[in-house]
Amino acid sequence: MAIDKAGVRERRRHRGDNRVTIEDVAKQAGVAPITVSRALNTPEKVSARLRERIDQAVETLGYVPNLIAGGLASAGTRVIPVVVPSLSILTFIEVIHGIQQTLEAAGYQVLLGSSDFDLDRESALLDSVLGYSPSGVILTGLRHHESTVRRLKAWGRPVVEIMELGDASIDMNVGVDNAEVGACMALHLLERGYRRIAFLGTGMARDYRARQRYEGHRRVLLEAGVESELLFQQDEPSSYEVGRQLFLEALEARPDLEALHFANDNLAAGAILEANRRGMRVPEDIAIGGYLGLSLGEHLTPRLTTVTVPRFEMGVEAAKLLLARLEGRSPALPRVDIGYELTVREST
């Protein structure tokens, strides 16, 4: 395979490789391959009209330029990019640990990227890393820009989406049904006899998985015939302090609340700490439930009721799916429901 100085000229596909080539782009745009190469490397030397046609062809076909040389580009480097919404939230740190431990044992290295819950940023990150011919990629969630989905499907290498479970995956998928997770806690609170129940979260305009949990929560309350629209949220990142603020905001707005369902354990922990400072009894005065199953929940007073998701195991399963495909095997279950467990403690 011949490749020009920027690594974009591909004369033929390798056997068994269905990835889009520069010649496919040239045919789609109705130009010569050298013109496509020039447009991608030195766009100032190509007319605006031609650049527009070539850019459209690249977008339509999901073409990914190769930025490294020959055989290495065709085989793929032993690097796996992992894109998560945040590198500071414990949820993703534990998943990353499972991925990293499993892939490194098989001789691969993990390259981490954070999208900050921004699909534009995710797309830009993928544009940056795919050209260096990684062996596969692991992404968070099932929602991406359409151009990202097209590009990854045309790319032809293993893709695993994590944290969310659904039928519309790009390739392989490991996660949980977030709506069912939210419904699980809401049902538990109802079964405990609570009726005035609020959901509290942060950044839910961007963190759609938290909103899915809220929708599951809301559905259960609606079916039970109780008030279902009680939602308190802030835009700031999740923290103990924001949990404290949400706790006070909710009780000021609705002093009659009986239970609080927090979007994660960090927020719930902040609420329990504030309740203790104010001499409020949990759960007698207000019940509190969380989500994730962080170890800190066991060390609070009272201990936190939460929905536990096996995050480390999720990372391990995602890595195993990817490795199976890289080894030429078809996974028996390309879509894995990692499951969850209601962990009932004293806070409810």
Short mmCIF file of all heavy atoms in Angstrom, two decimals, residues 163-213:
data_model
loop_
_atom_site.label_atom_id
_atom_site.label_comp_id
_atom_site.label_asym_id
_atom_site.label_seq_id
_atom_site.Cartn_x
_atom_site.Cartn_y
_atom_site.Cartn_z
N MET A 163 -21.97 1.52 29.50
CA MET A 163 -22.77 2.29 30.46
C MET A 163 -24.26 2.30 30.17
O MET A 163 -25.06 2.56 31.06
CB MET A 163 -22.29 3.75 30.58
CG MET A 163 -20.85 3.92 31.01
SD MET A 163 -20.45 3.12 32.59
CE MET A 163 -21.53 4.00 33.72
N GLU A 164 -24.65 2.02 28.95
CA GLU A 164 -26.06 2.08 28.56
C GLU A 164 -26.38 0.84 27.75
O GLU A 164 -25.53 0.36 26.98
CB GLU A 164 -26.30 3.34 27.74
CG GLU A 164 -27.72 3.52 27.25
CD GLU A 164 -27.85 4.75 26.37
OE1 GLU A 164 -26.85 5.48 26.16
OE2 GLU A 164 -28.97 4.98 25.87
N LEU A 165 -27.57 0.31 27.89
CA LEU A 165 -27.97 -0.89 27.16
C LEU A 165 -29.06 -0.53 26.16
O LEU A 165 -30.00 0.20 26.48
CB LEU A 165 -28.50 -1.93 28.15
CG LEU A 165 -28.66 -3.35 27.62
CD1 LEU A 165 -27.30 -3.97 27.34
CD2 LEU A 165 -29.43 -4.20 28.63
N GLY A 166 -28.92 -1.04 24.93
CA GLY A 166 -29.94 -0.75 23.93
C GLY A 166 -29.73 -1.58 22.68
O GLY A 166 -28.71 -2.26 22.52
N ASP A 167 -30.67 -1.50 21.76
CA ASP A 167 -30.62 -2.29 20.53
C ASP A 167 -29.88 -1.57 19.41
O ASP A 167 -29.48 -2.20 18.43
CB ASP A 167 -32.04 -2.62 20.05
CG ASP A 167 -32.79 -3.50 21.04
OD1 ASP A 167 -32.14 -4.38 21.63
OD2 ASP A 167 -34.01 -3.29 21.21
N ALA A 168 -29.69 -0.26 19.53
CA ALA A 168 -29.15 0.53 18.42
C ALA A 168 -27.65 0.76 18.57
O ALA A 168 -27.16 1.87 18.39
CB ALA A 168 -29.88 1.86 18.32
N SER A 169 -26.89 -0.27 18.90
CA SER A 169 -25.45 -0.09 19.08
C SER A 169 -24.74 -0.11 17.74
O SER A 169 -25.22 -0.71 16.77
CB SER A 169 -24.89 -1.18 19.99
OG SER A 169 -25.10 -2.45 19.43
N ILE A 170 -23.58 0.51 17.69
CA ILE A 170 -22.76 0.52 16.48
C ILE A 170 -22.23 -0.87 16.17
O ILE A 170 -22.24 -1.31 15.02
CB ILE A 170 -21.58 1.51 16.66
CG1 ILE A 170 -22.11 2.94 16.78
CG2 ILE A 170 -20.60 1.40 15.49
CD1 ILE A 170 -21.06 3.95 17.20
N ASP A 171 -21.80 -1.57 17.20
CA ASP A 171 -21.20 -2.89 17.01
C ASP A 171 -21.51 -3.79 18.21
O ASP A 171 -22.36 -4.67 18.13
CB ASP A 171 -19.68 -2.71 16.83
CG ASP A 171 -18.95 -4.01 16.54
OD1 ASP A 171 -19.62 -5.03 16.28
OD2 ASP A 171 -17.71 -4.00 16.56
N MET A 172 -20.86 -3.52 19.36
CA MET A 172 -21.08 -4.32 20.57
C MET A 172 -21.41 -3.38 21.73
O MET A 172 -21.08 -2.20 21.70
CB MET A 172 -19.83 -5.15 20.87
CG MET A 172 -19.52 -6.16 19.78
SD MET A 172 -17.96 -7.07 20.07
CE MET A 172 -16.74 -5.79 19.68
N ASN A 173 -22.05 -3.93 22.77
CA ASN A 173 -22.62 -3.07 23.80
C ASN A 173 -22.62 -3.79 25.15
O ASN A 173 -23.04 -4.94 25.24
CB ASN A 173 -24.05 -2.70 23.36
CG ASN A 173 -24.82 -1.88 24.36
OD1 ASN A 173 -26.04 -2.00 24.45
ND2 ASN A 173 -24.17 -1.03 25.12
N VAL A 174 -22.14 -3.09 26.20
CA VAL A 174 -22.19 -3.59 27.57
C VAL A 174 -22.73 -2.48 28.46
O VAL A 174 -22.19 -1.37 28.46
CB VAL A 174 -20.80 -4.01 28.09
CG1 VAL A 174 -20.91 -4.57 29.51
CG2 VAL A 174 -20.15 -5.02 27.18
N GLY A 175 -23.80 -2.75 29.20
CA GLY A 175 -24.32 -1.69 30.06
C GLY A 175 -25.54 -2.13 30.84
O GLY A 175 -25.78 -3.32 31.03
N VAL A 176 -26.29 -1.14 31.31
CA VAL A 176 -27.50 -1.37 32.07
C VAL A 176 -28.64 -0.56 31.46
O VAL A 176 -28.40 0.43 30.76
CB VAL A 176 -27.35 -0.99 33.56
CG1 VAL A 176 -26.32 -1.86 34.24
CG2 VAL A 176 -26.97 0.49 33.71
N ASP A 177 -29.85 -0.97 31.76
CA ASP A 177 -31.03 -0.21 31.36
C ASP A 177 -31.25 0.87 32.43
O ASP A 177 -31.72 0.58 33.53
CB ASP A 177 -32.24 -1.14 31.28
CG ASP A 177 -33.48 -0.44 30.74
OD1 ASP A 177 -33.68 0.75 31.05
OD2 ASP A 177 -34.27 -1.10 30.04
N ASN A 178 -30.86 2.10 32.12
CA ASN A 178 -30.89 3.15 33.12
C ASN A 178 -32.30 3.47 33.60
O ASN A 178 -32.51 3.80 34.77
CB ASN A 178 -30.21 4.42 32.56
CG ASN A 178 -28.71 4.28 32.53
OD1 ASN A 178 -28.04 4.34 33.55
ND2 ASN A 178 -28.18 4.08 31.34
N ALA A 179 -33.28 3.37 32.71
CA ALA A 179 -34.67 3.62 33.13
C ALA A 179 -35.10 2.59 34.16
O ALA A 179 -35.78 2.93 35.14
CB ALA A 179 -35.59 3.61 31.92
N GLU A 180 -34.70 1.35 33.97
CA GLU A 180 -35.05 0.31 34.94
C GLU A 180 -34.33 0.51 36.27
O GLU A 180 -34.88 0.21 37.34
CB GLU A 180 -34.74 -1.07 34.36
CG GLU A 180 -35.67 -1.49 33.24
CD GLU A 180 -37.13 -1.45 33.67
OE1 GLU A 180 -37.47 -1.98 34.75
OE2 GLU A 180 -37.94 -0.85 32.94
N VAL A 181 -33.12 1.03 36.22
CA VAL A 181 -32.39 1.34 37.46
C VAL A 181 -33.14 2.40 38.26
O VAL A 181 -33.33 2.27 39.47
CB VAL A 181 -30.96 1.80 37.14
CG1 VAL A 181 -30.29 2.37 38.39
CG2 VAL A 181 -30.12 0.65 36.60
N GLY A 182 -33.57 3.47 37.56
CA GLY A 182 -34.33 4.51 38.24
C GLY A 182 -35.65 4.00 38.78
O GLY A 182 -36.07 4.36 39.89
N ALA A 183 -36.30 3.14 38.01
CA ALA A 183 -37.57 2.55 38.46
C ALA A 183 -37.37 1.69 39.69
O ALA A 183 -38.23 1.66 40.59
CB ALA A 183 -38.18 1.73 37.33
N CYS A 184 -36.24 1.00 39.77
CA CYS A 184 -35.96 0.11 40.90
C CYS A 184 -35.95 0.87 42.23
O CYS A 184 -36.60 0.45 43.19
CB CYS A 184 -34.62 -0.58 40.67
SG CYS A 184 -34.06 -1.61 42.04
N MET A 185 -35.25 2.00 42.27
CA MET A 185 -35.20 2.77 43.52
C MET A 185 -36.56 3.37 43.84
O MET A 185 -37.00 3.37 45.01
CB MET A 185 -34.14 3.87 43.43
CG MET A 185 -34.04 4.75 44.67
SD MET A 185 -33.66 3.86 46.20
CE MET A 185 -31.92 3.49 45.93
N ALA A 186 -37.24 3.90 42.84
CA ALA A 186 -38.56 4.49 43.08
C ALA A 186 -39.53 3.45 43.63
O ALA A 186 -40.30 3.72 44.56
CB ALA A 186 -39.11 5.09 41.79
N LEU A 187 -39.51 2.24 43.07
CA LEU A 187 -40.37 1.17 43.55
C LEU A 187 -40.03 0.80 45.00
O LEU A 187 -40.93 0.59 45.83
CB LEU A 187 -40.24 -0.05 42.65
CG LEU A 187 -41.15 -1.24 42.96
CD1 LEU A 187 -42.61 -0.83 42.88
CD2 LEU A 187 -40.86 -2.39 42.00
N HIS A 188 -38.75 0.76 45.31
CA HIS A 188 -38.33 0.46 46.69
C HIS A 188 -38.88 1.50 47.66
O HIS A 188 -39.41 1.15 48.73
CB HIS A 188 -36.81 0.43 46.77
CG HIS A 188 -36.28 0.49 48.16
ND1 HIS A 188 -36.40 -0.56 49.06
CD2 HIS A 188 -35.64 1.49 48.84
CE1 HIS A 188 -35.85 -0.22 50.21
NE2 HIS A 188 -35.38 1.02 50.11
N LEU A 189 -38.79 2.78 47.29
CA LEU A 189 -39.27 3.84 48.19
C LEU A 189 -40.79 3.74 48.37
O LEU A 189 -41.30 3.94 49.48
CB LEU A 189 -38.86 5.21 47.64
CG LEU A 189 -37.35 5.48 47.63
CD1 LEU A 189 -37.04 6.77 46.89
CD2 LEU A 189 -36.78 5.52 49.05
N LEU A 190 -41.49 3.42 47.29
CA LEU A 190 -42.94 3.24 47.42
C LEU A 190 -43.27 2.07 48.34
O LEU A 190 -44.18 2.15 49.18
CB LEU A 190 -43.55 3.01 46.04
CG LEU A 190 -43.69 4.22 45.12
CD1 LEU A 190 -44.13 3.78 43.73
CD2 LEU A 190 -44.68 5.24 45.69
N GLU A 191 -42.52 0.99 48.19
CA GLU A 191 -42.78 -0.19 49.01
C GLU A 191 -42.49 0.07 50.48
O GLU A 191 -43.05 -0.60 51.36
CB GLU A 191 -41.95 -1.36 48.48
CG GLU A 191 -42.45 -1.89 47.14
CD GLU A 191 -41.56 -2.98 46.58
OE1 GLU A 191 -40.40 -3.11 47.06
OE2 GLU A 191 -41.99 -3.68 45.64
N ARG A 192 -41.62 1.03 50.75
CA ARG A 192 -41.34 1.42 52.14
C ARG A 192 -42.43 2.31 52.72
O ARG A 192 -42.38 2.68 53.89
CB ARG A 192 -40.00 2.15 52.21
CG ARG A 192 -38.78 1.26 51.98
CD ARG A 192 -38.59 0.29 53.12
NE ARG A 192 -37.27 -0.33 53.07
CZ ARG A 192 -36.87 -1.32 53.83
NH1 ARG A 192 -37.72 -1.83 54.72
NH2 ARG A 192 -35.66 -1.82 53.73
N GLY A 193 -43.38 2.71 51.88
CA GLY A 193 -44.49 3.51 52.36
C GLY A 193 -44.38 4.99 52.08
O GLY A 193 -45.27 5.77 52.45
N TYR A 194 -43.31 5.42 51.40
CA TYR A 194 -43.15 6.85 51.09
C TYR A 194 -44.01 7.20 49.87
O TYR A 194 -44.10 6.42 48.92
CB TYR A 194 -41.68 7.18 50.82
CG TYR A 194 -40.75 6.75 51.95
CD1 TYR A 194 -39.81 5.74 51.77
CD2 TYR A 194 -40.86 7.36 53.20
CE1 TYR A 194 -38.98 5.34 52.80
CE2 TYR A 194 -40.02 6.95 54.25
CZ TYR A 194 -39.10 5.94 54.04
OH TYR A 194 -38.28 5.54 55.07
N ARG A 195 -44.59 8.38 49.89
CA ARG A 195 -45.44 8.81 48.79
C ARG A 195 -45.01 10.14 48.18
O ARG A 195 -45.18 10.37 47.00
CB ARG A 195 -46.91 8.90 49.24
CG ARG A 195 -47.54 7.54 49.53
CD ARG A 195 -47.59 6.71 48.27
NE ARG A 195 -48.14 5.37 48.47
CZ ARG A 195 -47.42 4.29 48.74
NH1 ARG A 195 -46.10 4.39 48.87
NH2 ARG A 195 -47.99 3.12 48.89
N ARG A 196 -44.46 11.02 48.97
CA ARG A 196 -43.98 12.31 48.44
C ARG A 196 -42.47 12.18 48.22
O ARG A 196 -41.67 12.36 49.15
CB ARG A 196 -44.35 13.45 49.38
CG ARG A 196 -45.87 13.69 49.43
CD ARG A 196 -46.24 14.88 50.28
NE ARG A 196 -45.96 14.65 51.70
CZ ARG A 196 -46.75 13.99 52.54
NH1 ARG A 196 -47.90 13.47 52.11
NH2 ARG A 196 -46.42 13.84 53.82
N ILE A 197 -42.11 11.84 46.98
CA ILE A 197 -40.73 11.46 46.64
C ILE A 197 -40.22 12.37 45.53
O ILE A 197 -40.88 12.55 44.50
CB ILE A 197 -40.69 9.99 46.16
CG1 ILE A 197 -41.33 9.06 47.19
CG2 ILE A 197 -39.25 9.56 45.86
CD1 ILE A 197 -41.57 7.64 46.65
N ALA A 198 -39.02 12.91 45.71
CA ALA A 198 -38.41 13.78 44.70
C ALA A 198 -37.16 13.13 44.13
O ALA A 198 -36.49 12.34 44.80
CB ALA A 198 -38.07 15.13 45.30
N PHE A 199 -36.85 13.47 42.89
CA PHE A 199 -35.60 13.06 42.24
C PHE A 199 -34.68 14.26 42.18
O PHE A 199 -35.11 15.37 41.83
CB PHE A 199 -35.87 12.53 40.83
CG PHE A 199 -34.68 11.87 40.17
CD1 PHE A 199 -34.53 10.49 40.24
CD2 PHE A 199 -33.73 12.62 39.50
CE1 PHE A 199 -33.43 9.87 39.64
CE2 PHE A 199 -32.63 12.02 38.90
CZ PHE A 199 -32.49 10.63 38.97
N LEU A 200 -33.39 14.07 42.50
CA LEU A 200 -32.44 15.18 42.53
C LEU A 200 -31.19 14.80 41.74
O LEU A 200 -30.61 13.72 41.95
CB LEU A 200 -32.06 15.52 43.97
CG LEU A 200 -33.22 15.85 44.91
CD1 LEU A 200 -33.71 14.59 45.64
CD2 LEU A 200 -32.83 16.91 45.95
N GLY A 201 -30.76 15.68 40.81
CA GLY A 201 -29.60 15.37 39.97
C GLY A 201 -28.86 16.60 39.51
O GLY A 201 -29.26 17.74 39.80
N THR A 202 -27.78 16.39 38.78
CA THR A 202 -26.97 17.48 38.25
C THR A 202 -26.68 17.26 36.77
O THR A 202 -26.57 16.12 36.31
CB THR A 202 -25.61 17.58 38.99
OG1 THR A 202 -24.88 16.36 38.80
CG2 THR A 202 -25.81 17.82 40.47
N GLY A 203 -26.55 18.38 36.03
CA GLY A 203 -26.15 18.32 34.63
C GLY A 203 -27.02 17.42 33.78
O GLY A 203 -26.54 16.81 32.81
N MET A 204 -28.30 17.34 34.08
CA MET A 204 -29.15 16.37 33.38
C MET A 204 -29.48 16.76 31.95
O MET A 204 -29.94 15.93 31.17
CB MET A 204 -30.42 16.12 34.19
CG MET A 204 -30.13 15.40 35.50
SD MET A 204 -31.56 15.25 36.58
CE MET A 204 -32.66 14.25 35.59
N ALA A 205 -29.23 18.00 31.58
CA ALA A 205 -29.41 18.38 30.18
C ALA A 205 -28.37 17.68 29.30
O ALA A 205 -28.64 17.35 28.14
CB ALA A 205 -29.28 19.89 30.03
N ARG A 206 -27.18 17.44 29.86
CA ARG A 206 -26.13 16.75 29.11
C ARG A 206 -26.03 15.28 29.48
O ARG A 206 -25.81 14.43 28.62
CB ARG A 206 -24.78 17.43 29.38
CG ARG A 206 -24.69 18.86 28.87
CD ARG A 206 -23.31 19.42 29.09
NE ARG A 206 -22.94 19.39 30.52
CZ ARG A 206 -21.70 19.53 30.98
NH1 ARG A 206 -20.70 19.63 30.11
NH2 ARG A 206 -21.45 19.52 32.27
N ASP A 207 -26.17 14.98 30.76
CA ASP A 207 -26.06 13.60 31.23
C ASP A 207 -27.42 12.91 31.03
O ASP A 207 -28.21 12.78 31.96
CB ASP A 207 -25.64 13.58 32.70
CG ASP A 207 -25.40 12.16 33.21
OD1 ASP A 207 -25.56 11.21 32.43
OD2 ASP A 207 -25.07 12.02 34.40
N TYR A 208 -27.66 12.46 29.79
CA TYR A 208 -28.97 11.90 29.49
C TYR A 208 -29.22 10.58 30.19
O TYR A 208 -30.36 10.16 30.36
CB TYR A 208 -29.17 11.76 27.98
CG TYR A 208 -28.35 10.68 27.34
CD1 TYR A 208 -28.80 9.36 27.27
CD2 TYR A 208 -27.11 10.96 26.78
CE1 TYR A 208 -28.05 8.37 26.69
CE2 TYR A 208 -26.35 9.98 26.19
CZ TYR A 208 -26.82 8.69 26.14
OH TYR A 208 -26.06 7.71 25.56
N ARG A 209 -28.15 9.89 30.62
CA ARG A 209 -28.37 8.63 31.35
C ARG A 209 -28.99 8.89 32.71
O ARG A 209 -29.83 8.11 33.19
CB ARG A 209 -27.05 7.85 31.46
CG ARG A 209 -26.65 7.20 30.15
CD ARG A 209 -25.30 6.54 30.22
NE ARG A 209 -24.21 7.48 30.41
CZ ARG A 209 -23.65 8.18 29.44
NH1 ARG A 209 -24.08 8.03 28.19
NH2 ARG A 209 -22.67 9.02 29.67
N ALA A 210 -28.62 10.01 33.35
CA ALA A 210 -29.28 10.40 34.59
C ALA A 210 -30.74 10.73 34.32
O ALA A 210 -31.64 10.40 35.11
CB ALA A 210 -28.57 11.58 35.22
N ARG A 211 -31.00 11.37 33.19
CA ARG A 211 -32.39 11.68 32.84
C ARG A 211 -33.17 10.40 32.56
O ARG A 211 -34.37 10.32 32.88
CB ARG A 211 -32.45 12.63 31.64
CG ARG A 211 -33.87 13.03 31.25
CD ARG A 211 -33.89 14.28 30.42
NE ARG A 211 -33.58 15.46 31.22
CZ ARG A 211 -34.45 16.12 31.96
NH1 ARG A 211 -35.71 15.71 32.02
NH2 ARG A 211 -34.09 17.18 32.64
N GLN A 212 -32.54 9.40 31.98
CA GLN A 212 -33.23 8.12 31.79
C GLN A 212 -33.64 7.52 33.13
O GLN A 212 -34.73 6.96 33.27
CB GLN A 212 -32.31 7.15 31.03
CG GLN A 212 -32.14 7.48 29.56
CD GLN A 212 -31.11 6.58 28.90
OE1 GLN A 212 -30.20 6.05 29.55
NE2 GLN A 212 -31.23 6.41 27.59
N ARG A 213 -32.76 7.64 34.13
CA ARG A 213 -33.11 7.12 35.45
C ARG A 213 -34.28 7.91 36.04
O ARG A 213 -35.16 7.34 36.69
CB ARG A 213 -31.88 7.16 36.38
CG ARG A 213 -30.79 6.21 35.93
CD ARG A 213 -29.74 6.00 37.01
NE ARG A 213 -28.95 7.18 37.30
CZ ARG A 213 -27.91 7.58 36.61
NH1 ARG A 213 -27.51 6.88 35.54
NH2 ARG A 213 -27.23 8.66 36.94
#
